[in-house]
Amino acid sequence: MAVNVVWFKRDLRIHDHGPLRDAVASGDPVICLYVIEPELWALPEYSGRQYAFLLECLDSLDAALKAKGGSLTVRVGAVADVLDALLAEHAISTVRAHEETGLRWTWERDKAVARWARANGAAFLETPQHGVIRGLSTRNGWAKRWDAFMSQPVIAAPERIETAFAASDPIPGADALGLEPDPCPDRQPGGRRAAVSDLKSFLSERGEDYRRAMSSPLTAYDACSRVSAHLAFGTVSMREAFQAADRALKARRSSGETGYAKSIDSFVSRLHWHCHFIQKFEDEPGIETTDLHPAYRGARPEPDEESVRRWIEGETGFPFVDACMRALNATGWLNFRMRAMVAAFSSYHLWVDWKRPAEALARRFTDFEPGIHYAQFQMQSGTTGVNTPRIYNPVKQGHDQDPDGVFTRRWVPELSGLPASFIHEPWKAPVDVLAAAGVTLGGTYPERMVDHEQAAREARARIGALRKGEDHHQAAKAIQIRHGSRKSGLKQTGSASSRKKARKAEDDRQARFEF
């Protein structure tokens, strides 16, 4: 008897799952397949914390399938090879999967699966998973199509799943995949139950101060939705999140809770931005490896490994930057403003090419989403050519977002004895103050990697020089036409001043983008 293979990728749920629904509706037995791909986990963006989250998601998915009479088959290897092995056991008529906008490696993998299907007389059917549109010719009308997709009814989980038996391989440990030890003691748990819990608590309790509290790491860990990792792994769908938020928004408005309603409305707008950035990546995959605007290609040198190590481990000598990095290392998550700051610090203050830092940072995010990560890293590095360069002052950000040094003292305990007036600038502290706090710069805590004010001036001058000239303007205009958000009302023509205001409007919205 012919079987349908449902190939799970980053869609680890049975709710709102089009390929699973269609496979069950076909009447054929189903093999619910997940493939652990060693080559994928060998990529520099992937890490042990992400793998641990994945395994929790797979346990949750298997339990959900078993509750419906099915089971999850987990195999290890290249997907085409795994399908070959399954074909020796079963007559595969169809392979069903969601479209995935991932790294170039996953795109090549998907094409290899399509070739396998053609060679073996099987259909390979891919279904859109969220608001990203494959083969899009223009961004005109994209927002309306996004709204229409999100407004479609959520697909119910199948009542019963008849599966064909296919044994699983032993689950490899992280070390067997070549992943380095990656302790992340405060990582959020994976799986469907955790996803639903996080979304519900945000919409019913935690999210009231979202708009105000999202910027500071003191408050963002609780005030943000924390569903970004679940969206990245697909334990909850974008449509489920949107419709749950829309219901909560209407309820809050109806009950007169205008403050909470505004916070949820901000969250809904960020769901739009989530897909907006991934759509950029879908339309132009080269964002992963190449400066979007040609003027910036080769403008920055490759970083030395010691500089990247100090930056990613939180040893830059800038306490607030280091606190953010160390918090990320321990939790797998950081709020957006701080993500933007640490990325910009590497690109502007350290003036190094963004690719190595982007890979290193991706490994630390449990919620690594390729399209958002690389598009955002380029935006924060100024290499899009259309966004206003944001050179965050790491000292000012500390004073603004952590005025009493509470967050900084927690994550940089070697400075905990310093008074608030010096916690973000220990190099300005008198010798007796440092001694009383037990701080030795260059000993117990590192010296600054750079003079941040001088480095910012130099970076601003370099960027300004690159942005001059009609060639830069014309290339930036083409990028804006291709990738600019139509939802924000940005105009593609008009005076230079109106274009500048439009770019500033999009910059401001993107600067607030966060889950």
Side-chain angles (χ1 to χ4, degrees), residues 133 139-149 272 485-488:
I133 302 167
R139 288 299 291 267
N140 293 334
W142 179 86
K144 288 184 178 180
R145 294 173 69 175
W146 190 95
D147 290 335
F149 184 89
H272 281 268
S485 169
R486 307 303 193 261
K487 185 172 179 60
S488 64

Side-chain angles (χ1 to χ4, degrees), residues 361-383:
L361 199 61
R363 288 197 296 274
R364 302 301 170 98
F365 290 140
T366 306
D367 61 359
F368 170 56
E369 176 64 65
I372 295 176
H373 181 74
Y374 278 108
Q376 279 285 339
F377 215 111
Q378 287 222 37
M379 191 180 88
Q380 301 306 334
S381 299
T383 55

